[in-house]
Amino acid sequence: MSFPTLLRWACSCLLASGLWAQGGGRLPFSVVGPDQGLPPGSVACVAQDSQGFLWFGSENGLVRHAAGQWREWTAEDGLPSAFVPQILAAKDGLWIPSLRGLVRFREGKIERALLDGVPSTGGTGRLALDGHGRVWATAGADIYMQQDGLSFTKQ
């Protein structure tokens, strides 16, 4: 390790310890769980939408935290699967992949995406946004790009 790298590391440690001491030995985080109203189930992911709401994907569904209140959507509400492994906050809503298809959650409604004109019912992997705000999705060995609204085409 070079001397400048060692010096930066030492300064970072000192700064961190100073912040730790100023906070009375506590970091500025809160624990959130069932005692605070979070529905039961392991949390797999978290996202923040353009309105500032926090969304959590869990093994039991989609959960929103707003103004100290929790709201949950499950497979009974229309999610294709109870497990929510990823949430992608886009300009047109929240996109959620699952083993049973890709859906968009917008204005309280769950809508199934169309992959090459067919409702998405198979496994959908990872999601990403490009520089134009379009959603990209993987499904098996295929990659799909959002065309308009709920429509995606294979690339």
Side-chain angles (χ1 to χ4, degrees):
M1 185 180 297
S2 68
F3 181 73
T5 302
L6 181 62
L7 183 60
R8 279 195 300 269
W9 180 81
C11 288
S12 296
C13 288
L14 287 172
L15 177 61
S17 66
L19 291 173
W20 176 268
Q22 285 179 355
R26 295 183 338 185
L27 293 175
F29 293 97
S30 299
V31 175
V32 177
D35 291 344
Q36 291 75 32
L38 180 65
S42 296
V43 173
C45 60
V46 63
Q48 185 174 24
D49 67 16
S50 61
Q51 296 176 317
F53 294 124
L54 288 177
W55 296 86
F56 300 86
S58 79
E59 61 187 18
N60 296 322
L62 178 67
V63 181
R64 180 187 69 196
H65 183 261
Q69 300 295 313
W70 298 91
R71 168 73 162 90
E72 183 177 28
W73 289 265
T74 66
E76 292 176 2
D77 298 306
L79 287 176
S81 173
F83 179 57
V84 176
Q86 181 186 7
I87 302 167
L88 180 69
K91 62 185 175 190
D92 62 345
L94 301 175
W95 289 92
I96 302 165
S98 78
L99 294 174
R100 295 188 179 136
L102 174 62
V103 295
R104 176 177 68 186
F105 181 86
R106 182 171 73 165
E107 298 174 3
K109 296 179 184 171
I110 298 168
E111 305 167 292
R112 194 169 291 273
L114 301 173
L115 304 182
D116 284 334
V118 178
S120 171
T121 58
T124 308
R126 305 302 294 171
L127 304 176
L129 278 176
D130 68 15
H132 300 286
R134 291 179 300 218
V135 177
W136 289 73
T138 62
D142 298 323
I143 298 175
Y144 291 86
M145 182 181 74
Q146 182 182 28
Q147 296 301 309
D148 185 36
L150 295 168
S151 297
F152 287 73
T153 56
K154 188 165 36 170
Q155 300 300 299

